[in-house]
């Protein structure tokens, strides 16, 4: 079995947003356990709901932070920038190319050139 790290290509912005999410969920879980020990499960659920620790505001905040960090990476021309901008294809030059002929300028006869 191959290592999963070979398939995941997280940049610094992804790692920061992921760790912020993990830390926030861990802090909320520890807080819930502490309140549950003091006030019971119903009290802990009430405290978490009154603090607004549902799911939607947390997810919206983390996605916004992640998008901001990705925008910073794009502006700094990091990995996100390279996803959208491609390098121009290299031009092929030949050594046996025919020299361009000078174009006749309008108004002058060929003999005057």
């Amino acid at each position: 079995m191959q290592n999963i790290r070979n398939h995941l290509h997280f940049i610094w912005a992804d790692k920061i947003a992921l760790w912020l999410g993990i830390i926030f969920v861990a802090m909320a879980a520890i807080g819930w356990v502490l309140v549950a020990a003091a006030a019971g499960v119903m009290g802990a659920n009430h405290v978490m709901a009154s603090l607004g620790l549902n799911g939607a505001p947390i997810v919206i905040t983390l996605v916004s932070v992640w998008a901001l960090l990705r925008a910073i990476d794009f502006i700094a021309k990091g990995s996100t920038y390279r996803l959208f901008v491609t390098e121009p294809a290299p031009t092929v030059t030949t050594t046996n190319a025919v020299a361009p002929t000078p174009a006749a300028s309008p108004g002058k006869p060929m003999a005057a050139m």
Side-chain angles (χ1 to χ4, degrees):
M1 181 198 272
Q2 290 184 344
N3 190 359
I4 194 168
R5 296 181 93 190
N6 293 336
H7 297 290
L8 296 177
H9 300 289
F10 288 146
I11 66 169
W12 61 271
D14 301 333
K15 293 175 186 176
I16 290 173
L18 183 64
W19 277 109
L20 284 174
I22 290 170
I23 289 170
F24 187 79
V25 168
M27 286 176 35
I30 290 170
W32 185 88
V33 168
L34 291 174
V35 173
V41 174
M42 294 297 286
N45 290 339
H46 176 71
V47 168
M48 290 298 163
S50 67
L51 289 176
L53 297 179
N54 302 337
I58 298 167
V59 171
I60 291 171
T61 302
L62 287 174
V63 169
S64 299
V65 167
W66 176 74
L68 176 69
L69 292 174
R70 277 291 192 155
I72 291 170
D73 185 63
F74 183 80
I75 292 169
K77 295 186 179 183
S79 298
T80 308
Y81 180 80
R82 289 188 293 271
L83 286 174
F84 295 104
V85 178
T86 58
E87 295 292 324
T91 58
V92 179
T93 57
T94 58
T95 56
N96 296 334
V98 178
T101 57
S105 62
K108 288 187 178 181
M110 280 290 277
M113 292 182 94

